[in-house]
Amino acid sequence: MSVVAENLHWRVKRKVIVSDVSISVAQGETLGLIGPNGSGKSSLLRLLAGLKKPVLGRVQINGQDIAKVSRRALSRQLAFVQQNAATDTNVTVRDVIRLGRTPHRSALSGWSEDDEAAVATALDRVDMTTRRTQAWQTLSGGERQRVHIARALAQTPQVMFLDEPTNHLDIHHQIEILHMVRDLDLTSIIALHDLNLAAMFCDRIVVLDAGVVRASGTPAEVLTQELLRDVFRVSAEVSGSPDADRPHIRFKAG
């Protein structure tokens, strides 16, 4: 499914958080949202997912205005993975993933073969099948994030939104998570703070600064020394790679 946002504007009281943002994400594409802290990445992600209502503008999923779609129906098409989701409840991995089936079930419906198949497929896709009966509290940070992605996959969405899914993970788990997301047969929009990871795993990148789009394009088009200086206020060398669209950033001290 494609995602198109037109002239999105959102504010809290008098403070503008997202200003006149328009983006387009093709079916099957992985789009990265990057920008300094407070640039509006998480807010834009929630506007795109229908979790916030814009003051102005609209979002279309596969040509359909999401403002005209019920939350339940929308949850059957898209999934949202938030950062650092947690629970103190004594539940198993499978219990957490089962929650992803909520949009597909009515209050009186029993657990179906389709539900069971969706959970089993989600467990397999994040390589957590052997951990399905393990207690949530015993999982590592990387394992918990994989379970959250599995819960989203159990919704059987066609679009996935992820808000800094690698936050607080070590580099091994960061790469593992983003490899997994990129290999999914889904349209994905990911808010990231690590610029080199964005270059490695995103087909295109949108740069936000104070709620405004400062640049949009392939990693090679966007991640320039000038942009890093002007938006992120850092000095850096940007070098090429065997894949011309995947630059590498080396930050300079001072």
Side-chain angles (χ1 to χ4, degrees):
M1 282 187 164
S2 61
V3 180
V4 176
E6 299 174 348
N7 309 114
L8 292 183
H9 189 92
W10 188 70
R11 63 176 179 264
V12 176
K13 297 183 179 179
R14 294 184 178 181
K15 181 176 176 59
V16 175
I17 309 297
V18 174
S19 179
D20 198 29
V21 170
S22 296
I23 63 172
S24 179
V25 190
Q27 181 173 341
E29 188 174 38
T30 298
L31 178 77
L33 299 178
I34 65 172
N37 289 341
S39 61
K41 299 187 299 294
S42 293
S43 295
L44 176 58
L45 204 65
R46 283 163 172 76
L47 289 169
L48 295 172
L51 299 176
K52 294 183 183 294
K53 185 178 179 180
V55 176
L56 296 171
R58 66 174 181 171
V59 178
Q60 293 179 300
I61 303 289
N62 225 30
Q64 188 173 25
D65 188 339
I66 65 172
K68 300 177 181 178
V69 181
S70 71
R71 186 70 237 172
R72 184 179 180 86
L74 201 59
S75 296
R76 295 172 182 165
Q77 301 177 53
L78 58 86
F80 191 97
V81 180
Q82 61 182 321
Q83 57 176 304
N84 301 328
T87 178
D88 294 327
T89 308
N90 185 24
V91 293
T92 66
V93 166
R94 184 173 177 273
D95 291 332
V96 174
I97 297 172
R98 279 168 59 103
L99 294 173
R101 297 304 297 165
T102 301
H104 298 273
R105 305 175 66 238
S106 68
L108 300 178
S109 65
W111 190 254
S112 70
E113 291 183 4
D114 286 345
D115 295 325
E116 191 62 40
V119 170
T121 298
L123 279 163
D124 182 63
R125 291 175 82 177
V126 302
D127 195 25
M128 291 291 287
T129 299
T130 59
R131 304 288 189 91
R132 62 187 179 278
T133 60
Q134 187 169 333
W136 165 261
Q137 292 89 342
T138 65
L139 299 178
S140 69
E143 289 167 342
R144 290 186 180 193
Q145 197 66 317
R146 279 157 58 190
V147 171
H148 283 307
I149 292 173
R151 179 175 65 178
L153 291 174
Q155 291 177 228
T156 59
Q158 293 175 287
V159 182
M160 185 178 291
F161 300 90
L162 302 101
D163 189 7
E164 298 197 9
T166 60
N167 203 19
H168 303 310
L169 299 183
D170 60 49
I171 187 62
H172 169 76
H173 286 112
Q174 290 178 32
I175 292 173
E176 180 183 61
I177 290 291
L178 291 176
H179 256 304
M180 182 180 66
V181 171
R182 188 181 65 180
D183 290 344
L184 295 172
D185 186 22
L186 296 171
T187 303
S188 302
I189 303 177
I190 313 174
L192 289 167
H193 66 271
D194 189 303
L195 306 186
N196 278 309
L197 289 178
M200 287 173 64
F201 292 103
C202 297
D203 300 310
R204 287 192 307 114
I205 291 174
V206 168
V207 182
L208 290 175
D209 186 19
V212 176
V213 174
R214 290 289 300 272
S216 177
T218 67
E221 292 169 339
V222 167
L223 296 173
T224 65
Q225 293 178 359
E226 294 76 16
L227 180 131
L228 295 173
R229 181 192 63 223
D230 295 344
V231 174
F232 293 92
R233 297 185 293 281
V234 295
S235 296
E237 294 179 356
V238 181
S239 58
S241 68
D243 183 345
D245 282 338
R246 306 290 177 188
H248 176 74
I249 303 167
R250 183 181 176 212
F251 298 101
K252 299 178 181 179

